[in-house]
Amino acid sequence: MAKKLGFGLMRLPRLDPNDEASIDIEQLKQMVDMFIQRGFTYFDTAWMYCGYQSESAVKPALTDRYPRDSYTLTTKLHADYIHSFEDRDKIFKAQLEKTGVDYFDYYLIHDVGPLHNQVYEQYDCYNWLREKKEQGLVRHMGFSFHDTAEFLDKVLTAHPEMEFVQLQLNYLDWDSEGVQSRKCYETAKKHGKKVIVMEPVKGGTLAKLPEEAEKLFKAYAPDRSIPSWAIRFAASLDNVFMVLSGMSSLEQMDDNTATMQDFKPLNGEEQAIIRQTVDIINRSIAIPCTGCSYCTDGCPMNIAIPKYFSLYNLDMQESREKEWTSQGGYYDNYEGKFGMAGDCIKCGQCEHICPQHLPIRKYLEDVAAHFGK
C-alpha cells in the first residue's frame, strides 16, 4: 500500500525569498532524494505554482533523475488559462514537455467552483480529460475543490466519472462553515470518491500555534513536532488516500517523512487534544489565510497580501504587554518592494480568485490600520 504523504510542489525553497519563481533546485533535489529514499512516491504540481516554474522544476529535480515507474506525478488544468478549446491541449502539451514525462498518473481539473465550472463546462473539460485517460496520457482523473458541500454534490452527481476529489482538509477547517471540510469530505464519501487532502497544515498556520495549544501537544508527546499532528489528523480519515504537504525546506521534509514512514492514526486521547487546540486557535487567529498567493497575481498595486496577513496574525498572537514586536519591522521592510496594505484600490480581483472566499479588501484595511501604513 502506498504511503499517504504527498510532496506538494507549491511552496518550494527559494534563492530569493521575495521571488517565488527563484526555486532552489539543488535543495529541491535533496528533498526529492529524501522523499523517495524513505519510500514516498507522490508529487503534486500545477501550471501556476511558484510563479509558473513549479512544473519546470520537476524535470531537473525528479524526472531526469529517477525512472518513470519510481514516482507518481500529478498536475492540473486551471480555468483562468482556458479561453478556447485549443487551449486545453496547448497547456497539456506544455505540461508534458516542462515536466519531462509522457503521461500523468493523476490529472485534476483545478479549483472547481461555480464560476470556474462554467468555463470547464463551456469547453467540455470533463470529457476532454476522460479522452486523455482513454489515450493513456492520464491514468486517473479528478478535480480539486474549494466551495460548499452542496455544490460538490452537484458536480459529483453531474460527473460520476471523476475518480477522486482533492479537498482542503485540516483540523481547524473541519467544522468551519466557510471551508466546510467535514461536509465536503462526507459528500465525497457518499459518492464513493477517494479524497486527496490539500492544506493539512493550513499554509503553515497549524505549524506555529498559540503557546497554550503548543503546551497541550508537547505535554502529550514532547518529541513530536507541532505540524505532525495536523498531518496525522488528515491521514487518519479512512477515505483519505493521500495527504499533500507543501514543503519548502529539507527540515520540513525530514519531519513529515519521519512522521508518515510508520504512520499510526490518531487515538481517542489525541483527537480530544486536537479539539481543545481548535478552541484555543479560534480565539487567536484573525485572518484565516492559507498563503496560496493566488490573490497576488494580477494585483494592480503589487500588494504582498499573504505576507501581510501572516504578519498580522502573528502580531495579534503576541503578548499585549510587549512594547515592540518584530512583525512591524518586517512589514516596514516590504515598503519599496511591494505595495503596502493601504495602497489597495478596492478592485476586488483578489477576492474573485481567493479559494477561501476571504473579504481581502476589508482585511487589508485592518492590516493598514494595525501597522500604520
Side-chain angles (χ1 to χ4, degrees), residues 126-127 130 133 141-142 155-164 193:
Y126 294 97
N127 281 325
R130 179 180 51 77
K133 183 181 177 183
M141 56 186 184
V155 176
L156 288 173
T157 300
H159 296 287
E161 71 278 12
M162 293 292 105
E163 299 170 74
F164 63 93
K193 308 302 179 186

Side-chain angles (χ1 to χ4, degrees), residues 97-112:
E97 291 173 352
K98 287 164 71 176
T99 57
V101 297
D102 53 13
Y103 70 90
F104 293 109
D105 298 277
Y106 291 79
Y107 197 91
L108 287 78
I109 293 176
H110 200 180
D111 193 10
V112 172

Side-chain angles (χ1 to χ4, degrees), residues 83-368:
H83 306 291
S84 68
F85 287 101
E86 291 74 24
D87 283 343
R88 303 170 306 173
D89 281 329
K90 181 180 177 182
I91 290 171
F92 190 85
K93 181 181 178 183
Q95 289 173 315
L96 290 173
E97 291 173 352
K98 287 164 71 176
T99 57
V101 297
D102 53 13
Y103 70 90
F104 293 109
D105 298 277
Y106 291 79
Y107 197 91
L108 287 78
I109 293 176
H110 200 180
D111 193 10
V112 172
L115 292 176
H116 286 163
N117 203 50
Q118 289 178 17
V119 176
Y120 296 135
E121 295 289 5
Q122 177 183 353
Y123 293 111
D124 200 23
C125 292
Y126 294 97
N127 281 325
W128 170 84
L129 182 52
R130 179 180 51 77
E131 291 168 2
K132 286 286 182 280
K133 183 181 177 183
E134 291 171 354
Q135 295 163 6
L137 295 170
V138 168
R139 298 288 170 86
H140 301 283
M141 56 186 184
F143 61 93
S144 62
F145 187 83
H146 289 280
D147 211 89
T148 65
E150 181 182 8
F151 189 69
L152 178 59
D153 188 62
K154 290 180 180 179
V155 176
L156 288 173
T157 300
H159 296 287
E161 71 278 12
M162 293 292 105
E163 299 170 74
F164 63 93
V165 184
Q166 185 162 304
L167 298 174
Q168 176 170 319
L169 195 158
N170 55 70
Y171 64 73
L172 188 59
D173 292 328
W174 186 241
D175 289 314
S176 161
E177 271 307 306
V179 180
Q180 298 190 355
S181 283
R182 180 203 291 268
K183 290 180 179 179
C184 287
Y185 171 80
E186 291 172 349
T187 299
K189 192 171 182 178
K190 181 185 79 172
H191 283 268
K193 308 302 179 186
K194 289 291 187 182
V195 171
I196 297 175
V197 171
M198 56 184 162
E199 303 290 0
V201 192
K202 200 170 172 66
T205 295
L206 302 182
K208 296 179 180 179
L209 303 181
E211 185 178 354
E212 183 184 355
E214 290 203 4
K215 284 181 177 177
L216 283 177
F217 285 154
K218 290 301 183 182
Y220 183 86
D223 297 329
R224 191 184 302 164
S225 75
I226 301 302
S228 71
W229 286 78
I231 298 290
R232 288 180 62 230
F233 173 86
S236 295
L237 295 161
D238 58 2
N239 207 48
V240 166
F241 80 92
M242 192 59 60
V243 178
L244 302 177
S245 180
M247 295 171 272
S248 56
S249 70
L250 199 57
E251 180 184 21
Q252 292 175 6
M253 176 63 72
D254 185 25
D255 180 50
N256 283 344
T257 52
T259 296
M260 294 297 290
Q261 256 187 310
D262 185 24
F263 168 67
K264 292 180 177 61
L266 294 171
N267 61 35
E269 191 174 358
E270 290 169 321
Q271 294 278 10
I273 291 171
I274 280 179
R275 287 193 293 272
Q276 287 180 265
T277 298
V278 170
D279 290 340
I280 294 167
I281 296 171
N282 281 335
R283 299 198 302 263
S284 62
I285 288 184
I287 302 176
C289 170
T290 69
C292 72
S293 294
Y294 288 4
C295 57
T296 56
D297 271 349
C299 172
M301 305 307 291
N302 191 32
I303 299 171
I305 298 167
K307 295 180 188 295
Y308 298 160
F309 286 175
S310 176
L311 291 174
Y312 183 78
N313 282 335
L314 289 170
D315 220 45
M316 297 302 284
Q317 291 178 5
E318 293 270 11
S319 168
R320 294 295 178 265
E321 286 75 40
K322 287 187 176 181
E323 295 182 359
W324 178 87
T325 66
S326 63
Q327 284 78 233
Y330 279 107
Y331 181 80
D332 290 343
N333 287 340
Y334 283 123
E335 188 168 14
K337 299 176 185 175
F338 300 102
M340 307 307 285
D343 295 333
C344 175
I345 60 172
K346 316 293 187 191
C347 69
Q349 78 87 26
C350 53
E351 294 182 10
H352 168 72
I353 202 169
C354 175
Q356 315 302 320
H357 311 295
L358 299 179
I360 294 174
R361 289 172 286 186
K362 171 61 172 64
Y363 284 146
L364 284 173
E365 289 180 3
D366 295 342
V367 171

